[in-house]
Every structure is written in C-alpha cells, then in structure tokens.
Amino acid sequence: MSESTSVAELIEAGEITPFEAAQQLALVTAMMRRLKDSESALRGYLTDHLDPREHLTTALGVVSYKRGSESRWRVKDPIAFGQWLAMNGEESSVEEVLYPVEFITKPDAIEKLVHDHLGEQPDGVELSGGRADSVSTSKIRPWSEVMADLTAQRQA
C-alpha cells in the first residue's frame, strides 16, 4: 500500500481481506486512543501556555488560542417563561399574552430572577453550557506529504 492509496480505495478494489481489515481496525483504534490522549494533553498544555489571540505556526499547521465562554441563562420556551413570571410576582416583565418582554429574556435578567427566587429555575428557561478555553488546528498538510517528509515524521 503506498502512502497515497487510501484504505477505502483498497477496500473498493478488493485488495483487503476481512481479517486484514480487522487487524488494521484494531491497530487504528489503538493508535486513535493513544492519539486522543496525546491530543487532550497537548490541548490542555497549550491552552495554559498560549495567550489569548496567540497562534503558533509550525511546519505541519497553525495552532491558535480560542477563548471559551461562561455558562449563561437562555429562554427556551418563552410562553412557559412568561407564565412563570406572571405566577411569581413578575407581572411587569410580561405582556398581556404572557410572552416575556425582551429585556427579561437576557441572561443577566434571568440570573437576577433566579437569585431573587432563591435559585428556582423558571419554567421555559435552561442554563446553557459554557465552553472551556481550547486551541484549534488548521492548514494541516495532507497525510501523504507528512509521510514523505522525514522531518515531519520525526516530529509526529
């Protein structure tokens, strides 16, 4: 198999037996587990050691810092939220059809409501997950070029 021939092409051409495919799948799975562990450790390390908006250009690609975000409240069901507001002493925050007015659907306004109501989560509202800081990769060289480059192979 040359570096430019993909496994899919070999399968399509009938050049791989089920046993060979099973062997390769086992090998690839083991490699992926190892690579995922390495990727996780490297992402964590770089997230801790890069400044926001910083990027590093390497022979194989570019690694950039990505800023995460905090968890925040969002309205997922405005009607249920409006009904909850009306039943919990927040009538000034709803319109006649019990649809929440725009300002009360903002994350900070919902945070205040949750605080004012002793942590009760209003109906129709959920806390969306935040994102941790991370890094992204781009401009990755094709695998065939990596395999043809002895320096890149040693780095990998």
Side-chain angles (χ1 to χ4, degrees):
M1 175 167 104
S2 73
E3 289 107 26
S4 63
T5 305
S6 73
V7 171
E9 291 171 332
L10 292 173
I11 290 170
E12 189 175 313
E15 295 184 29
I16 293 181
T17 68
F19 184 78
E20 291 169 334
Q23 282 183 310
Q24 288 188 27
L25 180 59
L27 175 61
V28 168
T29 301
M31 292 170 68
M32 285 175 52
R33 288 180 182 155
R34 181 72 182 258
L35 289 171
K36 284 180 183 180
D37 290 344
S38 296
E39 179 190 31
S40 178
L42 291 167
R43 282 185 188 279
Y45 175 80
L46 288 169
T47 298
D48 291 343
H49 288 83
L50 290 180
D51 293 327
R53 300 187 189 130
E54 183 177 7
H55 69 276
L56 300 173
T57 301
T58 71
L60 300 176
V62 177
V63 176
S64 305
Y65 186 95
K66 288 175 59 178
R67 188 176 300 276
S69 67
E70 299 281 327
S71 295
R72 61 183 189 170
W73 293 102
R74 72 176 183 92
V75 175
K76 68 175 185 176
D77 183 343
I79 302 299
F81 183 39
Q83 292 170 342
W84 183 92
L85 290 167
M87 292 187 309
N88 286 278
E90 301 290 339
E91 294 84 7
S92 64
S93 299
V94 294
E95 296 174 330
E96 191 171 320
V97 293
L98 296 182
Y99 192 90
V101 293
E102 187 176 342
F103 84 90
I104 200 67
T105 62
K106 304 292 183 207
D108 291 344
I110 297 171
E111 181 71 33
K112 183 179 180 327
L113 280 173
V114 171
H115 181 268
D116 291 348
H117 291 272
L118 306 174
E120 179 181 352
Q121 180 174 332
D123 294 341
V125 173
E126 67 182 6
L127 184 61
S128 67
R131 291 186 322 254
D133 291 347
S134 67
V135 295
S136 66
T137 57
S138 61
K139 300 180 185 172
I140 304 301
R141 292 171 56 189
W143 183 249
S144 59
E145 286 183 28
V146 172
M147 292 305 294
D149 182 341
L150 293 176
T151 303
Q153 286 182 39
R154 282 192 293 274
Q155 288 177 350

